[in-house]
C-alpha cells in the first residue's frame, strides 16, 4: 500500500521497512500493520485534535505532570503554544504509560519506541496469527467470561497500584489474544492521586467491563470490584496481589447509597446500549 505521510519518516530512518496494511482508524489515531526486519508490528499515528476535542479532554489531564514551568503556564492559559504543548503531552502520555504498565506486569502491548510522533508497538494477534479481535466482538461462554473478568479486574488493580486509571476502558479497548485479554489505548490515562474525577472514572471502567461480560455470566452484575479496590486504594491497603471479593458495603451515613447504585447501573446500561448500537450498525453494513 501507499505509505501514509506520518510513517515515511520512520521508513527513512530505518525504524520500519514498509507498511503492510491499515489496522484501524479512530478520532485520535490511525493504526497500521508494519514490518520491521523479521517482525510484524503496529504503528500508531496520532492525529492532531481540533479545539472541540481538546476541551473535552481537560478532565483527563487534571493531575498530569508537565515538563517545564513555561509549558505549564502556557497550557494553563490555553494559548496557541500551550495547546501545542498539551497536544504533545497528550501523545506522550500513552507511550510513558505503556512502558510503566508493561514493567509492572500489566497485560498491554509491548512498546518498541516513539518516533516522529508515532508509537511502534507489538501487534496483538489471535492463535492463527491474525489481528486479535476486540473483546466486544467475540462470543463467550459463562466460564470464559468469568475468567476474562477476573483477569481484567486484576489488570485494573495493577494499573491502580501504579497510580493510573485507564479512563476509557470497555470491551472495545481490550483485545483477545491466545493467552487472554490485552488492554489497549491509553492516551486518556488518568492520575489516580491527582485527578478529582479519578474514582468516578475507575468505577466507570470496571462497570463497563462488568456490564459487557455480565451478558455471558449474569452473576457478575452483582459484584462491586471497583468500589472495593478504590476503598483499599484510598486506605493505602491495595497491593498488586490483593485478593478481591467483589463485595462492598458502603457507609450509608456518608454517601447516598441509592445514587451510587443508580450511577453504577446507568454506566452498565450505557455500555450495553453502546454495544447493541455497534452490533446493529455492523448488521446494517452487511
Amino acid at each position: 500500500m501507499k505509505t501514509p505521510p506520518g510513517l515515511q519518516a520512520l521508513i527513512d530512518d530505518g525504524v520500519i521497512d514498509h507498511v503492510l496494511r491499515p489496522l484501524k482508524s479512530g478520532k485520535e489515531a490511525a493504526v497500521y500493520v508494519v514490518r520491521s526486519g523479521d517482525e510484524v508490528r503496529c504503528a500508531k499515528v496520532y492525529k492532531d485534535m481540533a479545539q472541540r476535542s481538546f476541551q473535552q479532554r481537560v478532565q483527563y489531564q487534571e493531575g498530569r505532570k508537565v515538563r517545564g514551568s513555561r509549558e505549564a503556564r502556557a497550557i494553563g492559559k490555553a494559548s496557541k503554544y500551550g495547546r501545542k504543548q498539551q497536544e504533545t503531552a497528550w501523545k506522550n502520555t500513552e507511550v510513558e504509560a505503556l512502558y510503566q504498565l508493561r514493567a509492572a506486569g500489566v497485560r498491554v502491548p509491548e512498546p518498541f519506541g516513539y518516533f516522529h510522533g508515532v508509537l511502534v508497538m507489538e501487534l496483538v494477534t489471535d492463535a492463527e496469527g491474525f489481528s486479535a479481535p476486540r473483546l466486544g466482538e467475540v462470543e463467550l461462554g459463562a466460564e470464559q467470561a468469568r475468567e476474562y473478568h477476573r483477569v481484567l479486574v486484576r489488570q485494573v488493580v495493577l494499573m491502580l497500584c501504579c497510580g493510573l486509571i485507564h479512563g476509557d476502558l470497555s470491551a472495545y479497548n481490550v483485545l483477545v489474544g491466545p493467552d487472554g485479554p490485552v488492554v489497549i489505548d491509553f492516551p486518556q490515562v488518568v492520575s489516580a492521586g491527582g485527578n478529582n474525577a479519578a474514582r468516578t472514572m475507575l468505577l466507570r471502567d470496571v462497570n463497563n467491563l462488568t456490564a459487557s461480560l455480565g451478558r455471558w455470566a449474569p452473576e457478575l452484575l452483582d459484584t462491586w470490584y471497583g468500589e472495593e479496590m478504590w476503598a483499599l486504594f484510598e486506605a493505602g491497603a491495595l497491593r498488586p496481589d490483593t485478593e478481591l471479593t467483589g463485595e462492598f458495603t458502603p457507609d450509608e451515613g456518608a454517601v447516598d447509597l441509592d445514587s451510587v447504585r443508580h450511577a453504577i447501573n446507568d454506566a452498565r446500561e450505557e455500555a450495553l446500549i453502546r454495544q447493541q448500537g455497534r452490533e446493529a450498525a455492523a448488521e446494517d453494513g452487511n
Side-chain angles (χ1 to χ4, degrees):
M1 63 170 287
K2 183 178 179 181
T3 302
L7 294 176
Q8 186 59 54
L10 276 69
I11 293 178
D12 295 341
D13 289 350
V15 175
I16 63 175
D17 296 319
H18 57 273
V19 183
L20 299 177
R21 61 182 175 84
L23 181 59
K24 70 171 185 176
S25 182
K27 292 181 294 184
E28 296 186 351
V31 183
Y32 298 89
V33 179
V34 300
R35 181 171 292 281
S36 177
D38 295 331
E39 299 291 330
V40 176
R41 297 172 176 170
C42 64
K44 187 169 188 176
V45 183
Y46 293 96
K47 300 177 180 178
D48 290 329
M49 306 302 292
Q51 175 69 13
R52 178 177 59 84
S53 296
F54 177 88
Q55 294 293 347
Q56 290 175 340
R57 288 177 290 158
V58 170
Q59 63 173 325
Y60 293 99
Q61 294 165 328
E62 180 185 350
R64 290 184 181 177
K65 295 181 180 178
V66 178
R67 298 185 180 91
S69 58
R70 182 193 176 201
E71 287 79 4
R73 289 194 301 270
I75 289 173
K77 294 178 180 178
S79 65
K80 183 177 180 180
Y81 175 75
R83 291 195 297 271
K84 181 179 179 180
Q85 290 301 309
Q86 197 152 10
E87 282 292 338
T88 300
W90 178 261
K91 297 170 184 177
N92 288 339
T93 293
E94 178 166 32
V95 182
E96 295 171 357
L98 278 181
Y99 277 103
Q100 181 182 358
L101 295 175
R102 182 83 180 185
V106 183
R107 295 180 58 85
V108 298
E110 181 179 0
F112 295 112
Y114 185 56
F115 313 89
H116 303 289
V118 178
L119 171 61
V120 179
M121 57 186 166
E122 172 189 4
L123 175 66
V124 182
T125 60
D126 61 16
E128 285 74 41
F130 296 103
S131 301
R134 300 179 186 185
L135 180 59
E137 300 169 340
V138 299
E139 299 282 328
L140 299 174
E143 186 58 37
Q144 193 172 38
R146 285 190 286 268
E147 173 60 15
Y148 282 1
H149 187 267
R150 183 192 67 79
V151 170
L152 287 168
V153 165
R154 178 57 46 193
Q155 306 317 300
V156 176
V157 167
L158 292 175
M159 286 188 270
L160 192 53
C161 288
C162 291
L164 299 175
I165 296 168
H166 187 285
D168 192 31
L169 191 55
S170 76
Y172 291 90
N173 283 328
V174 175
L175 300 179
V176 181
D179 298 324
V182 178
V183 183
I184 62 171
D185 291 340
F186 287 89
Q188 70 298 305
V189 68
V190 172
S191 167
N195 191 304
N196 288 325
R199 176 181 177 275
T200 298
M201 292 184 184
L202 175 77
L203 298 186
R204 185 177 64 192
D205 281 356
V206 176
N207 291 324
N208 282 343
L209 294 174
T210 300
S212 296
L213 292 168
R215 295 177 58 209
W216 315 106
E219 70 275 11
L220 293 175
L221 299 176
D222 293 325
T223 61
W224 302 84
Y225 286 101
E227 293 80 359
E228 182 184 9
M229 71 175 74
W230 182 258
L232 290 169
F233 174 74
E234 278 195 314
L238 186 67
R239 301 289 181 267
D241 59 352
T242 298
E243 291 295 331
L244 301 180
T245 65
E247 299 176 358
F248 179 72
T249 303
D251 181 354
E252 298 186 32
V255 299
D256 183 344
L257 182 58
D258 288 337
S259 295
V260 172
R261 290 183 179 273
H262 285 316
I264 292 167
N265 289 332
D266 286 346
R268 291 173 174 170
E269 290 174 6
E270 180 182 354
L272 289 174
I273 291 170
R274 289 172 62 187
Q275 184 165 333
Q276 290 166 358
R278 290 187 180 97
E279 292 172 351
E283 290 177 0
D284 291 341
N286 294 333

